[in-house]
């Protein structure tokens, strides 16, 4: 709202003066000339409004992660528990997937020598399909990740610009 009106002029009254002086009306007035309201939207407001979240996964397959056959590696394939990458994928992905309508997620890797010729790739599909790198849900991503670990050779260097630009 803008401008002066009878609804936005407020008297400034000093209670002590009002009690001492019979003819005291006020010490002046304050006029509200304008105001603005701002809404702060929450994450849930955006979701309720129809916002879709697109989740793309990129996994670092550089040798700096350690040899996957050794327990010190972030890619260690322990038959009894998830490795660090799988735990992170599962923790984040299980929440994010609920905000994606088709639950089909591009899953990429970088920094590995890939089959069939062993060239270093900084952007390869975990599912092996360069035409469609999408995996079905988090379970599909985890399956493609585990399959990739069996077929690629961790190498380097770390260059994730191609997967960011995907």
């Amino acid at each position: 709202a803008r401008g002066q009106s009878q609804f936005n002029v407020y008297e400034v009254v000093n209670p002590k003066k009002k009690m001492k002086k019979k003819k005291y009306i006020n010490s002046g007035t304050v006029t509200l000339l304008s105001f603005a309201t701002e809404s702060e939207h929450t994450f849930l407001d955006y979701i309720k409004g129809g916002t879709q979240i697109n989740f793309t996964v990129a996994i670092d397959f550089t040798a700096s992660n350690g040899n996957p056959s050794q327990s010190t590696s972030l890619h260690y394939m322990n038959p009894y528990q998830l490795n660090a990458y799988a735990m992170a994928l599962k923790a984040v992905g299980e929440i994010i997937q609920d905000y994606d309508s088709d639950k089909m997620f591009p899953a990429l890797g970088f920094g590995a020598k890939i089959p069939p010729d062993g060239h270093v790739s900084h952007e390869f599909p975990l599912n092996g399909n360069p035409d469609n790198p999408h995996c079905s849900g988090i379970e599909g991503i985890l399956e493609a990740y585990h399959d990739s670990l069996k077929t690629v050779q961790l190498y380097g260097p770390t260059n994730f610009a191609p997967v960011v630009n995907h």
Side-chain angles (χ1 to χ4, degrees), residues 150-162:
K150 296 171 192 168
T151 61
V152 304
Q153 178 188 348
L154 275 59
Y155 205 70
T158 302
N159 177 6
F160 55 86

Side-chain angles (χ1 to χ4, degrees), residues 3 31 39 63 132 145:
T31 303
S39 298
N132 183 6
Y145 163 62

Side-chain angles (χ1 to χ4, degrees), residues 11-28:
E11 291 185 344
V12 178
V13 177
N14 183 326
K16 290 180 183 177
K17 284 186 179 182
K18 188 171 184 173
M19 296 213 9
K20 288 182 183 177
K21 298 180 182 179
K22 282 186 175 185
K23 292 184 180 183
Y24 175 83
I25 297 172
N26 62 46
S27 294

Side-chain angles (χ1 to χ4, degrees), residues 5-156:
S5 79
Q6 65 189 28
F7 300 112
N8 58 6
V9 177
Y10 303 93
E11 291 185 344
V12 178
V13 177
N14 183 326
K16 290 180 183 177
K17 284 186 179 182
K18 188 171 184 173
M19 296 213 9
K20 288 182 183 177
K21 298 180 182 179
K22 282 186 175 185
K23 292 184 180 183
Y24 175 83
I25 297 172
N26 62 46
S27 294
T29 59
V30 173
T31 303
L32 177 64
L33 297 178
S34 69
F35 71 92
T37 59
E38 291 183 21
S39 298
E40 286 191 25
H41 299 286
T42 67
F43 176 75
L44 196 54
D45 291 333
Y46 287 102
I47 297 302
K48 285 179 180 177
T51 298
Q52 284 286 307
I53 295 176
N54 296 309
F55 181 55
T56 299
V57 171
I59 298 178
D60 179 356
F61 284 91
T62 58
S64 63
N65 285 289
N67 183 337
S69 65
Q70 295 177 347
S71 62
T72 56
S73 172
L74 296 174
H75 290 295
Y76 180 59
M77 298 306 295
N78 183 332
Y80 304 107
Q81 66 184 39
L82 297 174
N83 65 28
Y85 276 97
M87 283 191 294
L89 282 168
K90 196 168 173 76
V92 173
E94 284 183 344
I95 293 167
I96 295 291
Q97 74 177 350
D98 291 337
Y99 301 102
D100 186 293
S101 58
D102 67 0
K103 299 192 183 359
M104 295 297 292
F105 308 110
L108 309 166
F110 63 92
K113 287 185 174 181
I114 62 171
D117 60 355
H119 76 278
V120 176
S121 176
H122 301 293
E123 179 186 355
F124 60 90
L126 296 185
N127 67 5
N129 184 348
D131 296 325
N132 183 6
H134 291 78
C135 297
S136 180
I138 298 309
E139 291 307 316
I141 293 172
L142 289 170
E143 182 180 339
Y145 163 62
H146 290 128
D147 290 347
S148 288
L149 272 177
K150 296 171 192 168
T151 61
V152 304
Q153 178 188 348
L154 275 59
Y155 205 70

